[in-house]
Amino acid sequence: MEQPNSTSSSDLRPDYKILIPTSLVILGVCIPFVLYPDQSQGILKTIFSMLTTYTGSAFLWITLSFVGLALYLIFSKYGNIKFGEPDEKPAFSDMSWIAMMFCTGVAGAVMYWSVAEPLFDLAYPPMHAEPFSKEAYEWATTYVLFHWGPLTWSWYVVCAIPICYMYYKRKKPVLRISTACEEILGDRVNGPLGSAIDSFFCIGLVASNAAVMAISVPIIAFSLSETFGIEPSIGLQLIVLATSTVIFSASVAAGLEKGIANLSYVNLIIAIALICFAFVVGPTTYIVDNFTNAFGVMVNNFFHMSLWTDPHTSGSFPQDWTVFYALWMASYGPFMGLFIARISRGRTVRQIVTMGLIFGMLGGWLIHGVFGGYTLNLQLTGALDAVGILKEFGPAMAVVKVLSSLPGGVLILLAYCVFSTIFLATSVDSAAYALSTACTRKLGIGDHPTVGHRFFWAFLQAILPASMLFIGGIAPMKTFANVSGALMIFVIIPMVLSLFKMLKDEDPIRLKYPEIADKLERLDKIEETLAESSKDFKKAS
């Protein structure tokens, strides 16, 4: 149960040095979107092009290095480090932990991209394949699995470890990104530099989550329009956004255990039901064969795909997709790190990284494999010209038409609306929790930010995507994700450097023989207790 915030080391007041500048920047960005949508869209396109063109290769190398870091943490001696007391059990069950992490990490984007990205890859294929060719079909699912595989989840789990270390091992009463950088930056994290780092984190997270909301809201609106014959409009999308805000606000009020955990459980059940239904009623054999083939192609070409920049042609696929995903996942890395850290008390480094990678990838691949395969089969057999719909009406309408082609299409769309709304709610709720922890002055272990503070961030997050609806299209969403990712890189690098500096201070005996070290530590505590009891007995005598 969520306990009252009564720890003596806590100061749950907002830190206005972080909160006010962040809020002003977010509000300052929103106003031009509403007043000058066309000019704003042009500026965003220019920023996106500059980021992906001039810094793309650097981000590809950094992303691949994070995969290596994740593997190193699993197999190195540091995997035995436990966050919590030696005999402490995990704060959440494995299933609850996995559900919260997965629902927060993929949000509503997972279903969207499982349909939309293969269609983009067919129409504008990678690796110089011809549109709609055999090679284009092979690469379509391959790249979806690649983008949502270790490249995504490595960012999340690696960023979690330095935050866990500072919070649980060093007992720092602040769940902030700047605190995780303390080993490298020193006392400067307590001054303007630390506030700037936390402000970068907050701005980047709000922008990144706005990208997720800008994806989810139009699809839900189009689904309602298709189901009930309502005219799709910005007004309908604003209503959907307002409804989602109410839901995740209720989740905020319920707290971490009752709110996010319960919503994640419900969504996991809906996700499994949708996957099983589409798998059974869809072209089952094709889905299995397509996934198997795509997995093999991805394994064989993993390093080529990871570092492919297409420098000899005018093509921009790596910049438009792989670099975009690298930056987007980087923007989510510190947020997921904070959230995973908050729910991972009692777990070891190896458990966090291994379970995060395996179950994060498995969940995403199930959704992408089933719905991506179903989408490609519709296009291949001519049952639905989904690519034509995408080109004429946009990816949101293409997703709706693909889902509605399933048996019981209306019920599927309604289930998808619930699914996407809950995904959105858990993501925004988790982000509100992370933002409020980053802007709380002191947060003791086991304590939580105030509900009012979390409400503030929940509603502030809705303002930016609401303004983005006036611009529309997928380009603004990509730009926001990329800009936030670029900001986060300046936060992530000192975090990782601080982690390895802290790891050097670990006791080598404890790292090699953790169970023996725990028993010796318990014996020392027993000896101390007996010695104190003996002193008390002598005094009493």
Side-chain angles (χ1 to χ4, degrees):
M1 297 295 292
E2 190 167 2
Q3 298 299 321
N5 299 309
S6 56
T7 305
S8 59
S9 62
S10 298
D11 182 353
L12 301 182
R13 292 174 297 170
D15 190 333
Y16 293 107
K17 297 191 301 294
I18 304 169
L19 187 144
I20 291 177
T22 303
S23 303
L24 290 176
V25 169
I26 293 169
L27 294 174
V29 169
C30 294
I31 294 171
F33 288 170
V34 178
L35 298 180
Y36 310 105
D38 294 337
Q39 295 90 330
S40 299
Q41 187 173 25
I43 293 172
L44 288 177
K45 285 182 178 179
T46 302
I47 294 172
F48 176 78
S49 177
M50 291 176 63
L51 275 173
T52 55
T53 301
Y54 298 113
T55 63
S57 291
F59 288 117
L60 293 180
W61 279 108
I62 294 171
T63 302
L64 187 60
S65 70
F66 266 68
V67 178
L69 283 173
L71 294 175
Y72 174 76
L73 290 171
I74 292 173
F75 295 107
S76 73
K77 58 186 178 182
Y78 302 117
N80 293 324
I81 295 174
K82 186 172 184 178
F83 299 118
E85 299 303 319
D87 56 350
E88 187 174 8
K89 293 182 179 180
F92 294 92
S93 68
D94 288 348
M95 183 58 71
S96 181
W97 188 85
I98 291 167
M100 284 192 288
M101 182 196 62
F102 178 71
C103 288
T104 302
V106 301
V110 65
M111 186 71 83
Y112 174 89
W113 291 118
S114 68
V115 175
E117 189 177 346
L119 296 178
F120 275 110
D121 292 347
L122 279 183
Y124 315 101
M127 299 295 178
H128 311 126
E130 291 295 323
F132 303 102
S133 64
K134 176 180 71 69
E135 291 79 12
Y137 274 94
E138 284 199 342
W139 286 117
T141 303
T142 299
Y143 258 95
V144 177
L145 300 184
F146 170 72
H147 288 146
W148 290 86
L151 298 185
T152 291
W153 291 94
S154 294
W155 282 106
Y156 298 169
V157 294
V158 171
C159 286
I161 304 305
I163 301 171
C164 284
Y165 203 100
M166 269 295 185
Y167 194 56
Y168 296 113
K169 299 285 287 184
R170 296 292 179 89
K171 308 293 184 183
K172 292 288 184 179
V174 179
L175 203 56
R176 284 184 186 169
I177 298 300
S178 61
T179 306
C181 305
E182 187 173 322
E183 286 296 309
I184 291 295
L185 301 178
D187 290 337
R188 287 174 292 179
V189 299
N190 299 317
L193 179 60
S195 297
I197 289 173
D198 291 318
S199 294
F200 275 176
F201 163 72
C202 293
I203 294 167
L205 177 53
V206 171
S208 185
N209 239 24
V212 174
M213 297 170 81
I215 288 175
S216 302
V217 169
I219 300 179
I220 297 171
F222 276 117
S223 299
L224 293 174
S225 175
E226 183 79 6
T227 304
F228 299 107
I230 305 170
E231 184 68 24
S233 63
I234 290 181
L236 178 59
Q237 294 183 41
L238 290 173
I239 291 172
V240 170
L241 183 60
T243 304
S244 300
T245 303
V246 171
I247 292 173
F248 63 67
S249 296
S251 176
V252 166
L256 183 64
E257 287 82 358
K258 290 183 178 179
I260 299 174
N262 288 343
L263 281 177
S264 299
Y265 263 132
V266 171
N267 230 31
L268 199 61
I269 293 170
I270 296 174
I272 293 171
L274 284 172
I275 292 168
C276 291
F277 180 77
F279 181 74
V280 171
V281 304
T284 305
T285 302
Y286 177 85
I287 289 172
V288 173
D289 290 346
N290 179 63
F291 175 84
T292 303
N293 182 74
F295 183 80
V297 174
M298 182 192 69
V299 172
N300 285 335
N301 295 275
F302 180 80
F303 288 104
H304 182 197
M305 296 164 70
S306 298
L307 299 175
W308 182 51
T309 58
D310 197 12
H312 308 299
T313 73
S314 58
S316 61
F317 184 93
Q319 291 74 28
D320 290 343
W321 290 102
T322 308
V323 175
F324 153 66
Y325 272 112
L327 283 163
W328 194 14
M329 301 317 167
S331 73
Y332 248 61
F335 154 58
M336 282 299 295
L338 272 177
F339 185 73
I340 292 173
R342 184 60 189 84
I343 63 175
S344 296
R345 185 176 184 180
R347 297 189 182 274
T348 65
V349 169
R350 185 171 291 113
Q351 287 174 331
I352 293 170
V353 179
T354 304
M355 291 173 63
L357 284 177
I358 292 175
F359 291 103
M361 290 190 298
L362 182 61
W365 283 352
L366 278 174
I367 294 175
H368 289 301
V370 172
F371 285 98
Y374 178 79
T375 302
L376 291 177
N377 186 259
L378 287 177
Q379 189 72 39
L380 183 65
T381 60
L384 178 71
D385 184 13
V387 172
I389 297 170
L390 178 141
K391 289 182 176 180
E392 185 174 354
F393 300 103
M397 179 59 79
V399 172
V400 170
K401 290 296 184 182
V402 167
L403 294 177
S404 61
S405 69
L406 284 162
V410 172
L411 292 177
I412 295 298
L413 285 178
L414 289 176
Y416 175 72
C417 286
V418 174
F419 175 82
S420 292
T421 302
I422 294 177
F423 254 143
L424 186 60
T426 53
S427 178
V428 176
D429 188 357
S430 304
Y433 190 95
L435 288 162
S436 55
T437 57
C439 293
T440 296
R441 299 188 182 191
K442 286 186 179 181
L443 192 70
I445 294 176
D447 287 343
H448 303 272
T450 63
V451 172
H453 194 179
R454 287 150 69 182
F455 266 127
F456 171 81
W457 286 109
F459 281 101
L460 189 64
Q461 286 183 89
I463 294 175
L464 188 55
S467 65
M468 286 178 65
L469 295 178
F470 288 89
I471 301 177
I474 195 171
M477 182 281 297
K478 280 191 167 187
T479 304
F480 263 86
N482 277 222
V483 171
S484 58
L487 285 175
M488 290 298 189
I489 290 296
F490 295 102
V491 174
I492 292 171
I493 290 176
M495 280 174 57
V496 174
L497 294 176
S498 291
L499 169 65
F500 281 93
K501 190 173 180 181
M502 289 186 288
L503 291 177
K504 286 184 178 179
D505 296 335
E506 280 289 319
D507 182 359
I509 302 299
R510 169 171 285 281
L511 288 174
K512 194 170 183 178
Y513 306 106
E515 294 182 1
I516 295 175
D518 290 342
K519 289 178 180 178
L520 291 174
E521 189 174 309
R522 283 194 288 269
L523 286 174
D524 288 340
K525 289 182 179 179
I526 292 171
E527 287 181 3
E528 289 176 5
T529 303
L530 290 173
E532 291 294 328
S533 299
S534 176
K535 289 180 182 178
D536 293 340
F537 178 76
K538 289 179 179 179
K539 288 180 180 179
S541 300

